[in-house]
Amino acid sequence: MSRMKVLLVKDVPELGEAGEVYAVAGGYARNYLMPRGMAVLATKGALKQADEIKQAGIRRRAQERSNAEAQATMISGKRLLFAANAGENDRLYGSVTAADIAGQLAEAVGFDVDRRRIQIEHGLRDLGIHAVTIRLMPDIAATFQVAVVREGEDWAAAEKRAAAKAAKQAAEQA
């Protein structure tokens, strides 16, 4: 199994950051990294460019981080309202999915939101107010509220239901 030294031109998840040199399997370099423009052979000429590539990578990551921080600030504390059909026990007949939440959140903040970054294990299936977290970068997250109400209800109805639920739980524990 031959190994090749490559210079990463772009950040590669699970491998490394732009401007770094790695010894990787020849097939991985030829069939994956190079055709996608993620790496070049680590020749003398390429190594001279390594520092420029590294600096560009650092600038790009800093830009991505500040964008993510700005987005987190805009998202934090947002309140989204979803009207749904629910049965007697406040269970929905369907569910509010991460895609639904991403769509409405994108409308509220004015930029695209990736549904895969919204951290709910499964769709919301109960009426009430739910705290939802979106992970914009591994170490940058924002939390916002999603209220699921019956058709025709508003945020106040959701808060009233949440207060009644909390009072009922407190009474059961007493």
Side-chain angles (χ1 to χ4, degrees):
M1 189 168 106
S2 68
R3 294 192 67 76
M4 297 173 75
K5 280 198 170 192
V6 294
L7 167 66
L8 296 185
V9 181
K10 296 180 179 168
D11 293 352
V12 180
E14 313 298 318
L15 182 59
E17 296 179 343
E20 295 177 348
V21 176
Y22 288 93
V24 296
Y28 181 52
R30 281 190 305 274
N31 300 325
Y32 182 77
L33 295 174
M34 290 175 175
R36 286 174 174 76
M38 298 169 139
V40 294
L41 271 178
T43 61
K44 280 191 174 119
L47 292 175
K48 285 180 184 165
Q49 293 178 314
D51 200 44
E52 291 170 35
I53 292 170
K54 196 175 266 187
Q55 293 306 316
I58 289 169
R59 284 193 301 274
R60 194 188 61 257
R61 281 189 295 281
Q63 182 64 49
E64 286 171 1
R65 168 171 288 285
S66 72
N67 286 349
E69 286 170 348
Q71 288 179 346
T73 303
M74 289 175 74
I75 291 171
S76 284
K78 278 279 181 261
R79 294 165 29 146
L80 304 181
L81 190 67
F82 288 88
N85 289 322
E88 288 301 306
N89 56 357
D90 289 354
R91 292 286 286 175
L92 303 188
Y93 291 122
S95 68
V96 176
T97 65
D100 298 332
I101 294 170
Q104 195 171 327
L105 184 60
E107 251 175 60
V109 293
F111 54 81
D112 285 342
V113 176
D114 183 350
R115 68 176 169 75
R116 293 170 303 215
R117 297 185 178 282
I118 292 179
Q119 302 196 299
I120 54 174
E121 285 176 27
H122 44 74
L124 304 178
R125 293 191 174 92
D126 293 301
L127 293 179
I129 298 176
H130 307 271
V132 178
T133 300
I134 181 169
R135 187 153 306 287
L136 298 163
M137 287 183 83
D139 56 342
I140 299 176
T143 302
F144 57 98
Q145 291 185 316
V146 173
V148 184
V149 297
R150 292 184 194 282
E151 300 280 344
E153 290 183 342
D154 59 5
W155 192 270
E159 287 176 337
K160 204 157 106 185
R161 183 174 289 109
K165 196 172 178 181
K168 185 179 171 191
Q169 285 176 339
E172 286 171 4
Q173 288 173 352

